[in-house]
Amino acid sequence: EAQVTQNPRYLITVTGKKLTVTCSQNMNHEYMSWYRQDPGLGLRQIYYSMNVEVTDKGDVPEGYKVSRKEKRNFPLILESPSPNQTSLYFCASSFKVTYEQYFGPGTRLTVT
Amino acid sequence: KQEVTQIPAALSVPEGENLVLNCSFTDSAIYNLQWFRQDPGKGLTSLLLIQSSQREQTSGRLNASLDKSSGRSTLYIAASQPGDSATYLCAVLNSGGSNYKLTFGKGTLLTVNP
């Protein structure tokens, strides 16, 4: 089944404890991206990757890191999480950026 | 900077009604526009993608139109059903050279009452 998977789906952590949210797609897509969704603010892009080893900042990159060493994986790293990073996170992928976007199921992160 | 607005923010209709959701955008130089559906606590599901050169796309009971010059798109849902209840989001893709940016609206929360 063609899909985008994210892990974990739910995470509660404490301020400053490094964490990684994984994202994987099995559709051989070149383009991948991360979003956060907050009430009243909608979806905002954190980082995106046009292809392997090619990443760039979105609208709200502060406090996040990404890497794209393999085509299928695009992990989101929070080196020192803070409470303002409490949010619902989505990974998305597409064959190329101009094609239909496929979203993962989301990761609900709470930082206390 | 592209801004995408969806009006109304919420809509409640009785089952069987035909309805229209609206999406407007400020920068008409778009590459494409995509409509999504989001169920509570879940990810986004793509419904329709309209290229900038197209006027409309259809899928089952859904029809999306695009008027690029006026910066508007509509999503028409025919014979609505309770299972259509969800938040509907539109997103526009702009390009600037080799850079692309996808901008989302905040969505319309649709409730279809049995």
Side-chain angles (χ1 to χ4, degrees):
Chain A
E1 179 188 356
Q3 60 183 348
V4 180
T5 57
Q6 294 179 227
N7 283 293
R9 294 289 314 282
Y10 303 91
L11 180 60
I12 301 174
T13 190
V14 297
T15 300
K17 186 176 181 182
K18 180 180 179 180
L19 66 93
T20 299
V21 183
T22 64
C23 173
S24 183
Q25 49 90 9
N26 62 0
M27 297 170 278
N28 200 36
H29 285 172
E30 288 186 358
Y31 181 82
M32 297 186 75
S33 59
W34 277 101
Y35 295 87
R36 60 178 290 174
Q37 187 176 39
D38 301 287
L41 297 176
L43 274 155
R44 295 178 292 169
Q45 190 178 57
I46 303 170
Y47 270 95
Y48 64 93
S49 170
M50 298 292 278
N51 211 328
V52 177
E53 301 291 3
V54 181
T55 63
D56 208 344
K57 297 177 181 178
D59 295 320
V60 288
E62 296 78 19
Y64 304 94
K65 285 176 57 177
V66 293
S67 67
R68 187 91 181 274
K69 294 184 171 59
E70 309 166 276
K71 201 170 190 180
R72 63 183 295 128
N73 297 322
F74 190 45
L76 180 69
I77 302 158
L78 285 73
E79 294 269 1
S80 183
S82 63
N84 65 10
Q85 292 178 299
T86 292
S87 186
L88 180 58
Y89 291 86
F90 290 104
C91 178
S93 74
S94 60
F95 179 63
K96 292 186 183 294
V97 65
T98 55
Y99 284 61
E100 183 179 14
Q101 300 286 319
Y102 292 82
F103 277 74
T107 294
R108 186 166 293 281
L109 172 66
T110 301
V111 184
T112 60
Chain B
K1 178 186 173 185
Q2 177 73 274
E3 292 182 7
V4 180
T5 303
Q6 292 186 245
I7 294 173
L11 179 64
S12 181
V13 301
E15 181 177 3
E17 191 163 298
N18 302 325
L19 60 99
V20 173
L21 306 180
N22 297 295
C23 172
S24 62
F25 45 93
T26 55
D27 181 356
S28 61
I30 67 170
Y31 196 95
N32 61 40
L33 182 146
Q34 195 165 356
W35 281 94
F36 295 88
R37 168 190 174 131
Q38 184 176 23
D39 293 287
K42 300 207 173 165
L44 282 68
T45 301
S46 177
L47 297 173
L48 291 163
L49 175 71
I50 311 178
Q51 302 295 345
S52 63
S53 58
Q54 297 176 311
R55 296 284 291 182
E56 64 179 290
Q57 281 280 6
T58 297
S59 176
R61 294 183 294 108
L62 306 179
N63 176 278
S65 68
L66 175 63
D67 184 341
K68 207 173 70 164
S69 61
S70 68
R72 292 180 184 177
S73 176
T74 62
L75 179 67
Y76 175 82
I77 302 177
S80 58
Q81 304 169 357
D84 294 329
S85 298
T87 297
Y88 291 80
L89 298 104
C90 70
V92 298
L93 183 67
N94 290 91
S95 68
S98 59
N99 293 321
Y100 290 87
K101 182 170 173 59
L102 190 65
T103 306
F104 284 83
K106 293 181 180 178
T108 294
L109 175 61
L110 173 65
T111 303
V112 181
N113 300 299

